[in-house]
Amino acid sequence: MPVTIKDIAKAAGVSHTTVSRALRGNPAISNTTTARIERLAQDMGYVPSAVAQSLHAQQTLTIGMVVTTIADPFIVKVVEGVESVAQAAGYSVFLSTSNNDPDRELAVVETFRRRRVDAIIVTSSRVGRLHSSQLNQVQVPIVLINNQGEGKYLYSVAIDDEQGAGLAVTHLLGLRHRRIAYIGVPDRPKSNQRRLAGFLAALERAGIAPDPGLTCSPEAGDDFQRGQAAFEAIEAARASAVFAYNDVIAIGLMAACAQHGVAVPGRLSVVGFDDIEAAVYVNPGLTTVHQPRLKLGQLAMTMTLDLLNGRKTQDQKLACELRDRASTAKISDLPPSLIVNKP
Amino acid sequence: MPVTIKDIAKAAGVSHTTVSRALRGNPAISNTTTARIERLAQDMGYVPSAVAQSLHAQQTLTIGMVVTTIADPFIVKVVEGVESVAQAAGYSVFLSTSNNDPDRELAVVETFRRRRVDAIIVTSSRVGRLHSSQLNQVQVPIVLINNQGEGKYLYSVAIDDEQGAGLAVTHLLGLRHRRIAYIGVPDRPKSNQRRLAGFLAALERAGIAPDPGLTCSPEAGDDFQRGQAAFEAIEAARASAVFAYNDVIAIGLMAACAQHGVAVPGRLSVVGFDDIEAAVYVNPGLTTVHQPRLKLGQLAMTMTLDLLNGRKTQDQKLACELRDRASTAKISDLPPSLIVNKP
DNA sequence: TTGTACGCGTTATCAA
DNA sequence: TTGATAACGCGTACAA
């Protein structure tokens, strides 16, 4: 049982009220007793109970963060951004994973409600389900990362997927590529759709008609395997360049290329999305669209603090930047047929 | 202001005591009123306050987790393991980063004390500092991951570094390598020392005398850069194989090799430690010592639960496994001088 | 300058 | 079967 102000009060021969005031630096208490009490508190190893304080103050100075899985290198950085800003502002953060399971996500939110968190931050959820049921019952601000939602307490900060995809395609167009493929994913429909839209829009601006054969969305297991699985479709489509939904997919594709003797970027240029750590580890280094993930997390928490302090806020969108590394090159002047065939 | 049992009591025309009992399924309350109250609670959107419950029960069902940085791919998995077991057991986890700053680490532990967490889990800290000052003041169990410490409330779960290093070296010896180098790190002294010890012990078992020229510990920036920086020393030492402190260093070294035209594994075999995701992404796939990181986290939390429930526990050590991929090969029969020179 | 009394939301003890 | 009342640790209005 930790030391309480009552214990200190007894030891000091005063009321617990006096102790409370002294420790909070209330000027009404005489300097001498204040000093004495402070010393006593120190000696007795007193640490105030945030639980009791929370009950009294009707706020816990905690926020709940829901992530699908922390294993995603993208999410990790976001969490780090959130946590650092939170910590600096005196907030603690509960981290919970949902594994992309809507039921668990609801359970997690329910737990956060029980714990009386002051706000909730959610990354990459399928808010559809969440929204419908009890999200509107939640009486605290909810900040969505990379996801929109509509509701009284719903706010969002997001990456500009379309702009990012445009960056990738523009880069490839600048390298004279014309047959550019897109590898999408089936399980993040919203962002996938936005990246696809950005991809198509950029092509259209360049006067290139969309070719359905140039977009695919492999079903295989994890993202890396999806990238590998996409290899055949890319070959069949005779693409000279590929824009992948994310880096892991791009890296999986590059692995398949290496296996089949297709040189990157000699025969095929590859652009990813995210700029995860591994993008600089692989060979060749992966050209990719950098997401300001840390900043995204920081912004989400900053916005949360604004909300908590009654300041005005509005939804934010963050721009991406291109990281030009070694997996892209100017298209060779050989005819496409020669370029895409095996050696 | 959320709904309380008093609100429900008023609406139901009973005392709040009855409501409390009804909602907890106390058999003393008649079925009819129980049903009526449950319905009311549901309709009014009642969610019990974990804060008030914690104050009363003198336990919060929360645990605090301190990590140096969540950005470390090793730590991420550990966190995931901890969180999944915690969540299943009804515990919530506070996650805080210390950035390897002893002061911040102390501040974080202090915050956890204020929040009255039931236990604390710490990964990869330099417990020296922590231990000395106020760690002994903490009245809750502390589980250290990959770190020993001595004290009343201190427990630990760890990877068997020596065994893991032995695995790596034995593998290389089996491939006929004799001049095997070790790349260490200056900033994780404990585990570095243990891996070095395992490295040397395995060599000794094979009757190979240690050669100081074959171990180095680059000071450069991050681990990747350290791996790159180690290249020259490895060349100078005329090693045919390298065991690196971790995967990122190994990958950095491989990048430098690619740059200088040194074939891996043709000229140099490389073994890492950790088995991070990127180990399968790089080309060639990195042979490495797999740490059961998820299991490590799960074990840490399981042990914490045991401690909390008064069960007996003892410090645990987890064995590693070798993941044999493509960065190691049998040494060629050319004389060493030919092997290590540039093409 | 200090103390008394009450409330925050919940559970438990005791009495009816 | 139900209800008053106290307690958990803290902060504060009101009194002295």
Side-chain angles (χ1 to χ4, degrees):
Chain A
M1 317 300 125
V3 178
T4 73
I5 50 174
K6 279 189 188 169
D7 298 327
I8 300 178
K10 200 170 295 177
V14 297
S15 77
H16 78 272
T17 311
T18 303
V19 176
S20 174
R21 288 204 257 252
L23 293 178
R24 321 195 80 240
N26 189 320
I29 306 295
S30 77
N31 289 340
T32 49
T33 53
T34 296
R36 191 162 52 98
I37 288 174
E38 275 174 349
R39 189 157 193 329
L40 225 40
Q42 179 81 17
D43 292 348
M44 299 173 69
Y46 171 74
V47 178
S49 163
V51 177
Q53 288 176 326
S54 297
L55 185 60
H56 178 84
Q58 294 291 81
Q59 66 162 331
T60 55
L61 295 181
T62 61
I63 71 125
M65 181 156 193
V66 197
V67 302
T68 51
T69 163
I70 196 188
D72 185 332
F74 169 81
I75 291 180
V76 171
K77 275 287 186 184
V78 176
V79 174
E80 191 166 349
V82 167
E83 204 273 333
S84 65
V85 173
Q87 193 178 134
Y91 279 75
S92 297
V93 6
F94 283 115
L95 183 72
S96 274
T97 57
S98 70
N99 282 332
N100 235 328
D101 173 352
D103 292 338
R104 272 197 49 186
E105 195 161 90
L106 284 177
V108 166
V109 171
E110 171 82 11
T111 300
F112 287 162
R113 285 183 68 191
R114 276 204 355 256
R115 296 214 175 268
R116 298 293 191 261
V117 299
D118 294 336
I120 296 179
I121 296 181
V122 183
T123 73
S124 322
S125 93
R126 307 168 174 162
V127 210
R129 286 286 277 282
L130 244 190
H131 185 207
S132 60
S133 57
Q134 36 175 244
L135 206 58
N136 17 22
Q137 292 219 11
V138 181
Q139 301 282 359
V140 299
I142 300 183
V143 173
L144 268 22
I145 295 184
N146 276 354
N147 232 311
Q148 292 95 309
E150 289 178 18
K152 195 177 170 194
Y153 290 101
L154 255 35
Y155 303 85
S156 84
V157 303
I159 282 299
D160 193 337
D161 286 301
E162 290 207 36
Q163 176 259 352
L167 244 35
V169 175
T170 304
H171 175 69
L172 291 172
L173 290 170
L175 296 171
R176 314 252 176 137
H177 292 276
R178 286 298 173 270
R179 290 194 63 76
I180 305 176
Y182 174 71
I183 309 178
V185 290
D187 56 347
R188 281 85 112 199
K190 283 258 186 66
S191 52
N192 181 65
Q193 195 204 320
R194 287 195 299 267
R195 288 179 200 178
L196 178 58
F199 167 84
L200 294 173
L203 288 180
E204 187 178 351
R205 281 196 301 274
I208 299 180
D211 176 348
L214 281 171
T215 69
C216 65
S217 182
E219 293 285 345
D222 60 23
D223 284 348
F224 184 78
Q225 292 167 343
R226 284 171 181 163
Q228 292 179 302
F231 178 78
E232 291 200 3
I234 302 298
E235 281 253 306
R238 302 159 48 113
S240 71
V242 174
F243 167 48
Y245 172 82
N246 70 18
D247 288 348
V248 176
I249 292 174
I251 290 171
L253 174 64
M254 293 209 304
C257 287
Q259 219 165 27
H260 293 83
V262 171
V264 174
R267 300 262 178 110
L268 188 70
S269 283
V270 177
V271 181
F273 204 110
D274 280 358
D275 194 20
I276 63 177
E277 275 77 10
V280 326
Y281 298 163
V282 293
N283 191 359
L286 180 65
T287 295
T288 187
V289 178
H290 173 83
Q291 296 199 47
R293 301 168 281 161
L294 192 67
K295 197 186 282 180
L296 191 64
Q298 293 170 333
L299 185 63
M301 187 62 212
T302 304
M303 189 163 166
T304 303
L305 290 173
D306 285 347
L307 254 15
L308 257 16
N309 293 317
R311 287 191 283 267
K312 275 181 201 149
T313 56
Q314 62 182 43
D315 292 1
Q316 304 254 5
K317 223 178 218 181
L318 252 50
C320 305
E321 292 172 13
L322 191 82
R323 290 281 186 277
D324 188 7
R325 288 195 265 260
S327 65
T328 48
K330 211 171 207 177
I331 195 171
S332 93
D333 293 317
L334 298 173
S337 58
L338 277 181
I339 293 175
V340 295
N341 284 344
K342 299 181 187 176
Chain B
M1 317 304 126
V3 178
T4 73
I5 49 174
K6 280 188 186 170
D7 298 327
I8 300 178
K10 199 170 295 176
V14 297
S15 76
H16 74 273
T17 311
T18 302
V19 176
S20 174
R21 286 204 261 252
L23 293 179
R24 321 193 78 238
N26 188 321
I29 306 297
S30 77
N31 289 341
T32 48
T33 53
T34 296
R36 191 161 52 97
I37 288 174
E38 274 174 350
R39 193 163 189 323
L40 225 39
Q42 179 79 18
D43 291 349
M44 298 173 71
Y46 169 74
V47 178
S49 163
V51 177
Q53 289 175 327
S54 297
L55 184 61
H56 178 83
Q58 294 290 80
Q59 65 162 330
T60 55
L61 296 181
T62 62
I63 71 123
M65 182 158 192
V66 197
V67 301
T68 51
T69 162
I70 197 186
D72 185 331
F74 169 81
I75 291 180
V76 171
K77 275 286 186 183
V78 176
V79 174
E80 191 166 351
V82 167
E83 205 273 333
S84 65
V85 173
Q87 193 176 136
Y91 278 77
S92 297
V93 6
F94 283 117
L95 183 70
S96 274
T97 57
S98 70
N99 282 332
N100 235 328
D101 173 352
D103 292 339
R104 276 205 33 196
E105 194 161 89
L106 284 177
V108 166
V109 171
E110 172 82 10
T111 300
F112 286 162
R113 284 183 68 191
R114 278 207 350 261
R115 298 214 174 267
R116 298 293 190 264
V117 299
D118 294 335
I120 297 178
I121 296 180
V122 183
T123 73
S124 323
S125 94
R126 307 168 174 161
V127 210
R129 286 287 278 284
L130 245 190
H131 185 208
S132 62
S133 57
Q134 33 175 245
L135 205 59
N136 17 21
Q137 292 218 11
V138 181
Q139 302 282 359
V140 300
I142 301 183
V143 173
L144 268 23
I145 295 183
N146 276 355
N147 231 313
Q148 294 96 310
E150 290 178 15
K152 195 174 168 195
Y153 290 102
L154 254 36
Y155 303 84
S156 84
V157 303
I159 283 298
D160 193 336
D161 286 301
E162 290 207 35
Q163 177 259 352
L167 244 37
V169 175
T170 303
H171 176 68
L172 291 171
L173 289 170
L175 298 171
R176 312 250 178 139
H177 292 276
R178 285 299 174 270
R179 290 195 63 76
I180 305 174
Y182 174 70
I183 309 178
V185 289
D187 55 347
R188 281 85 109 197
K190 285 258 186 67
S191 53
N192 182 64
Q193 195 205 318
R194 288 195 296 267
R195 287 177 201 179
L196 178 58
F199 167 83
L200 293 173
L203 289 181
E204 189 179 348
R205 281 197 299 274
I208 299 179
D211 176 347
L214 281 171
T215 69
C216 66
S217 182
E219 294 283 345
D222 60 24
D223 284 348
F224 185 77
Q225 292 167 342
R226 285 171 179 162
Q228 293 178 302
F231 178 78
E232 291 200 3
I234 301 297
E235 281 253 306
R238 304 158 46 113
S240 70
V242 174
F243 167 48
Y245 172 83
N246 70 18
D247 288 348
V248 177
I249 292 175
I251 291 170
L253 174 65
M254 295 209 303
C257 287
Q259 219 165 27
H260 293 83
V262 171
V264 173
R267 300 260 182 112
L268 187 70
S269 283
V270 178
V271 181
F273 203 111
D274 279 359
D275 194 20
I276 63 177
E277 275 77 10
V280 326
Y281 297 163
V282 293
N283 190 1
L286 180 65
T287 296
T288 187
V289 177
H290 173 82
Q291 295 199 48
R293 302 169 279 163
L294 191 66
K295 197 187 283 180
L296 191 64
Q298 293 171 332
L299 185 63
M301 189 60 212
T302 304
M303 190 164 164
T304 302
L305 290 173
D306 284 347
L307 254 15
L308 258 17
N309 293 317
R311 287 191 282 267
K312 275 183 202 148
T313 57
Q314 62 182 45
D315 292 1
Q316 304 254 6
K317 222 178 219 180
L318 252 51
C320 304
E321 293 172 12
L322 191 82
R323 289 280 187 277
D324 188 6
R325 290 196 264 261
S327 65
T328 48
K330 215 172 207 177
I331 194 171
S332 93
D333 293 316
L334 298 173
S337 57
L338 277 181
I339 294 173
V340 295
N341 284 345
K342 298 180 186 175

